[in-house]
Each structure stands twice: as C-alpha cells, then as structure tokens.
Amino acid sequence: MSVPSVAAFTDTYLPTVNGVTYTVQSWRDAWHRRGGDMPIIYPAADDYDPDDREYPVRSLPFPFYEGFRIGVPQVPDEVGEMDLVHAHTPFGLGMSAKRVARSQDLPLVASYHTPTSEYASYVSLGDRVERTIRKTAQSYERWFFDRADIVVTPSERTREHVRESVGVSTPVEVVSNGVDIERFKPVETADFRDRYDLPEDRPIVGYTGRHGYEKCLPDIVAATDGMDVTVVFGGDGPAREDLESRAAAADVDVRFLGFLPREELPAFYSILDAFAFPSPVETQGLVALEANACGTPVAGVDSGALSVTIEDGVTGYTYPQGDIGAFREAIERVLSERGELGEACLDSREAISIENAVDTLEDVYRGVL
C-alpha cells in the first residue's frame, strides 16, 4: 500500500526553533523515509533558505510577539496534487489548509499544538480585556477545529482540554510529537562544560526552551534559592530580562547560555542532573522527553500535559502548581535519585521515539482517507 501524500501548513517554521517547528520537520523527515511526500508551506523569513519541497509564502510580523510571523493564506502551485491536508495552525496558513482541503475535497487533519488562549497576556491591556481575549480565542479554536475531519493532540491531557475546555466536537486522536532518539541520547559533556564554563563540583539543574511569561520560569530560581547547585537556562524569549533580574537577586548560581544550536542540545541535557519544568501550559512538553531520552529525569509541575509526560518515580517527580516548596522538594528528590531515574528514562526511549509517533500518525491519515 502506497504512503499518502500530505500537504503540511504551518505558521511556525525555520529559522524559528521551537517544539512545533521541530515536530513538523521531524514528521516530514520520517514521512520521507517511508517513501511518502510531505511538502511544507510556511511563512517566509529572510534568514532561511528552503529545502526541497519547502515552500515559503508571504508573511506578516505578529505585532505582540517578537520573532513570530503569520503566513498570508495562499497555496503555491508547486505543491501539486495531494491525498490529504494537515494544518499545524488554526490561523493564517491554517486557513489556506482549510481552503485547499475543501476546494479539492480532501480530508483535513488539524494539529492542536498550542492553547492560544494562554497567550492572551501578551496582547491584553488588563484582566477584563485578557478574559475577553481568552474567551474569543477559544471560540475561534472551536470554530476552526470543528471544521477538520480529525484533530490530533500530542497528549491525552491535551485531548481532554480540546474536548472539554475548548468544546471541539470533531474526533480527537493522540499522536505524540516523538523524539529523535538517534540524536537525543547520552553524550560526552566535557567540551560543552568547557565551552560554557560550567562547574564540576556541584549538581546542575537546567531548563531550555522559549522564555515566555506563561512558562513560570522564575519559579525555578525561587525553588533553587539557597541550594548548592548551578542553574542553567538555555534559550531566549520575552521573559528573559525579568528572569535575569530575579536570578541576580537570588542566592543561587544562575547561568544564561542563550540560544543553543540544536546539535548542542544532547550535551546540554546530558550534563544536567535534573531538568526543571514549571510550565503549566504544555500540550506535551517535548523538551522533557528530549531530556529523558538523554537519561535526565525531570522535576516538573503537575499540570497540563506534564502531569502525564512525567511519570512520578520513573522519569522524574511532579509538584502542585504554584507550590515553590514542593517544587524544591521535587528537584531535591530527583537529584537524590538521579541514578535510578536516569536508567528508567533510558528504558523509555523506544516508546517516545519519532518512528513510534509516526506509526500512529500514519494510522490517523489512513483512517480519514
């Protein structure tokens, strides 16, 4: 049986590096290995040259979030004929996906990557306006996803959110984003340690990813205040300046490494004794799985998808959202059980792999054809 051809539309792609970009690119690569075609339609950016079957379209900057762009709805002629359409966004290029699916009578699969309402604080002018934006965002999400043939979420907890909180009536299937376990595995860390001048005489607790206000990253500083550890932050984002100010006032050694090239991430995860993850808005928490694939356990919030992504006593420990004392205890527990937890993380590698995820994705595609 031939592998279906799938047109993927996304408002987030290279050179922007985040979980959505990584997932779209990784699924495409895995799809090609199976002999399938998956052209990607994405917002054009000056500092990225497209690969084969990547099609940039005209885009506009999103005024409230630096570095994010919205693709102007259009479909390049070069995409050609497809068997189905996959929208990785409900906005600009998601509308292109919807239009081409309906005009060509093709199935439309839509991924729910990000709870749009959680970003209301970036555009609001107060609590009342923020509540209105959250409500409007969920209404729009419900409208868009109810017009797909099937919705894909990266975790069971996000599936529950889509069905119960957003109110989507379209069938929803869980497809993990998956981790490239050929890339993310334990590696030697001496060069990385030297490059970033990291100590060898104390545990290292860290986080990498977007520095967004909604991710509650100052909780990491608060939870480690007074601990004999080094805290490292990889990545960047709008909340970094505030995070640096809080770190400067705390009694803990905090280092900001900035944006890390993807090829350095396995060493980053491998050097950590604990990955700290206080974000309550994750739809899966891909960086937690990447850390696990490198043998690093996670101390994370018991909220959103992390409640499921982190398996207590196996791949890490969770704590109640907002409880800084409990977060500190979770970090300390991970540090004290680092060896056993790390072995359990490595045992989970096959289950969280990209290939395993794309097996499920292919079943979803064939189910709607």
Side-chain angles (χ1 to χ4, degrees):
M1 186 181 297
S2 62
V3 180
S5 298
V6 182
F9 291 76
T10 178
D11 278 328
T12 303
Y13 201 59
L14 298 169
T16 300
V17 177
N18 56 33
V20 177
T21 297
Y22 169 70
T23 298
V24 173
Q25 186 184 44
S26 297
W27 284 4
R28 185 276 310 275
D29 292 346
W31 203 244
H32 285 182
R33 288 195 293 272
R34 293 169 187 235
D37 185 27
M38 187 179 284
I40 298 175
I41 300 89
Y42 67 98
D46 293 336
D47 46 353
Y48 178 68
D49 294 325
D51 262 343
D52 184 46
R53 297 298 272 163
E54 293 179 348
Y55 299 101
V57 300
R58 190 163 64 90
S59 64
L60 300 171
F62 185 63
F64 303 103
Y65 198 101
E66 184 178 356
F68 186 76
R69 302 184 69 85
I70 296 289
V72 175
Q74 62 184 107
V75 183
D77 292 338
E78 296 87 348
V79 171
E81 295 185 1
M82 293 287 110
D83 296 312
L84 60 85
V85 178
H86 192 147
H88 290 273
T89 170
F91 299 111
L93 287 174
M95 295 304 295
S96 293
K98 176 177 173 293
R99 185 175 66 202
V100 72
R102 294 299 170 253
S103 66
Q104 298 184 28
D105 194 27
L106 300 176
L108 175 63
V109 177
S111 277
Y112 189 91
H113 287 290
T114 305
T116 308
S117 61
E118 296 296 339
Y119 297 87
S121 59
Y122 287 95
V123 299
S124 69
L125 301 173
D127 290 346
R128 184 176 180 181
V129 176
E130 185 173 330
R131 286 194 299 271
T132 300
I133 291 175
R134 287 177 183 275
K135 184 176 180 180
T136 302
Q138 286 201 340
S139 295
Y140 176 79
E141 287 178 338
R142 182 166 56 251
W143 175 85
F144 180 85
F145 288 107
D146 269 341
R147 279 152 182 78
D149 292 285
I150 195 165
V151 176
V152 168
T153 66
S155 67
E156 182 61 39
R157 186 59 60 90
T158 303
R159 179 182 184 274
E160 293 171 4
H161 170 77
V162 169
R163 295 303 301 270
E164 298 171 11
S165 298
V166 181
V168 171
S169 57
T170 298
V172 183
E173 294 290 339
V174 176
V175 180
S176 171
N177 292 327
V179 175
D180 180 358
I181 60 174
E182 294 303 313
R183 175 189 293 270
F184 291 98
K185 57 187 176 183
V187 299
E188 290 295 325
T189 59
D191 288 346
F192 186 89
R193 190 185 300 272
D194 291 343
R195 187 178 309 120
Y196 293 100
D197 192 26
L198 297 177
E200 298 184 42
D201 59 348
R202 67 175 71 95
I204 299 179
V205 177
Y207 164 87
T208 189
R210 194 169 55 81
H211 295 8
Y213 292 101
E214 72 287 346
K215 292 183 178 290
C216 304
L217 300 182
D219 288 358
I220 299 174
V221 176
T224 55
D225 196 353
M227 290 180 65
D228 185 22
V229 299
T230 290
V231 177
V232 291
F233 287 99
D236 210 336
R240 177 168 173 173
E241 185 176 347
D242 177 63
L243 186 59
E244 288 179 330
S245 296
R246 292 173 184 255
D251 178 23
V252 63
D253 177 29
V254 182
R255 317 283 183 90
F256 289 87
L257 308 186
F259 173 78
L260 295 173
R262 195 149 188 84
E263 57 268 21
E264 290 191 348
L265 287 179
F268 173 84
Y269 291 126
S270 295
I271 209 169
L272 299 182
D273 295 287
F275 186 88
F277 207 178
S279 173
V281 299
E282 301 303 310
T283 54
Q284 183 173 36
L286 184 59
V287 288
L289 295 181
E290 291 175 349
N292 288 166
C294 294
T296 300
V298 180
V301 65
D302 188 9
S303 182
L306 293 184
S307 297
V308 178
T309 299
I310 302 167
E311 189 175 354
D312 270 301
V314 180
T315 61
Y317 285 101
T318 58
Y319 69 94
Q321 183 179 349
D323 190 334
I324 299 301
F327 190 11
R328 183 187 182 96
E329 290 174 4
I331 293 171
E332 290 174 334
R333 196 168 184 184
V334 166
L335 294 177
S336 69
E337 301 177 24
R338 175 67 173 85
E340 311 94 282
L341 294 174
E343 288 298 323
C345 288
L346 295 178
D347 289 342
S348 72
R349 284 168 48 80
E350 290 296 332
I352 63 177
S353 70
I354 287 267
E355 292 300 330
N356 192 43
V358 174
D359 283 344
T360 307
L361 181 67
E362 183 171 355
D363 289 342
V364 169
Y365 286 163
R366 293 193 185 281
V368 297
L369 285 171

